[in-house]
Amino acid sequence: SSKIRNMEVQSADGVAVLEDCIGISLTKTISKVEEKLKKGALPDCQDDDIIPRVGNEMGAEAQIRLLKAKLRVMQEDLANVVFECRKKDDENQILETRLKDTKEENTRLQRTISLQQSQTEKYKMLSKEANKKTEGLQQEVTALEKVLQ
């Protein structure tokens, strides 16, 4: 995602060009391919599916226009994918923040539960002691009543 974040969208001759932070430019690559096409240095690939079979009957200029159009479409698709990746990355950042907050809240609630459980145990012990004391006093009252009668 850091590589995607470092990409910038540029426009060259009406063609959106994504340029990587390393300096690899599609514009330079296209220029090199065009130069090789002009010199006739590129081999013809019969099973190349970039240009349809009809493209073999096209002139070089028409093939270049076709390739540039396909490149624009691919670059738009790439720009959309980059946008979606950035959007998902932002969503992930938000979710990571929420997860961190939830974990902190969970830790806080666990401490509260632990404290309340220890207080509950303390009050149970005090209640048992008070019940024993009450029973002892009740027996004492009963014994005193028998003495008074």
Side-chain angles (χ1 to χ4, degrees):
S1 67
S2 64
K3 186 174 184 180
I4 291 172
R5 287 201 177 273
N6 290 333
M7 298 177 90
E8 297 176 0
V9 177
Q10 296 182 349
S11 177
D13 298 331
V15 178
V17 178
L18 286 171
E19 190 167 308
D20 194 317
C21 62
I22 300 171
I24 299 172
S25 170
L26 289 175
T27 307
K28 292 176 187 176
T29 306
I30 292 169
S31 298
K32 289 177 184 177
V33 170
E34 287 175 345
E35 287 175 21
K36 288 181 181 181
L37 273 174
K38 287 178 185 175
K39 293 177 184 177
L42 288 178
D44 289 334
C45 298
Q46 294 299 327
D47 50 333
D48 191 0
D49 66 345
I50 295 174
I51 299 177
R53 300 227 183 265
V54 178
N56 294 334
E57 299 168 7
M58 293 177 166
E61 299 255 343
Q63 287 181 353
I64 290 172
R65 282 196 308 272
L66 177 66
L67 289 172
K68 282 186 176 181
K70 285 188 174 199
L71 179 63
R72 273 193 296 275
V73 170
M74 292 174 79
Q75 287 171 337
E76 287 173 6
D77 290 344
L78 180 59
N80 288 335
V81 168
V82 168
F83 174 76
E84 289 298 319
C85 285
R86 287 180 180 164
K87 188 175 164 184
K88 295 293 182 189
D89 192 38
D90 292 342
E91 288 176 17
N92 282 342
Q93 291 295 329
I94 291 168
L95 290 174
E96 284 176 3
T97 302
R98 285 179 52 195
L99 178 62
K100 181 182 173 191
D101 292 344
T102 303
K103 284 182 178 180
E104 289 173 359
E105 178 73 7
N106 187 26
T107 302
R108 186 185 65 77
L109 290 173
Q110 289 294 338
R111 282 193 303 257
T112 302
I113 288 170
S114 178
L115 179 65
Q116 288 177 346
Q117 284 175 340
S118 65
Q119 287 178 345
T120 301
E121 290 299 317
K122 176 183 169 184
Y123 289 126
K124 281 182 183 177
M125 296 286 263
L126 289 174
S127 175
K128 284 181 183 178
E129 288 176 13
N131 283 339
K132 285 180 184 178
K133 194 173 187 180
T134 302
E135 286 177 19
L137 291 173
Q138 193 69 18
Q139 289 174 355
E140 204 175 305
V141 167
T142 305
L144 288 173
E145 283 178 350
K146 285 181 182 176
V147 170
L148 288 175
Q149 292 177 352

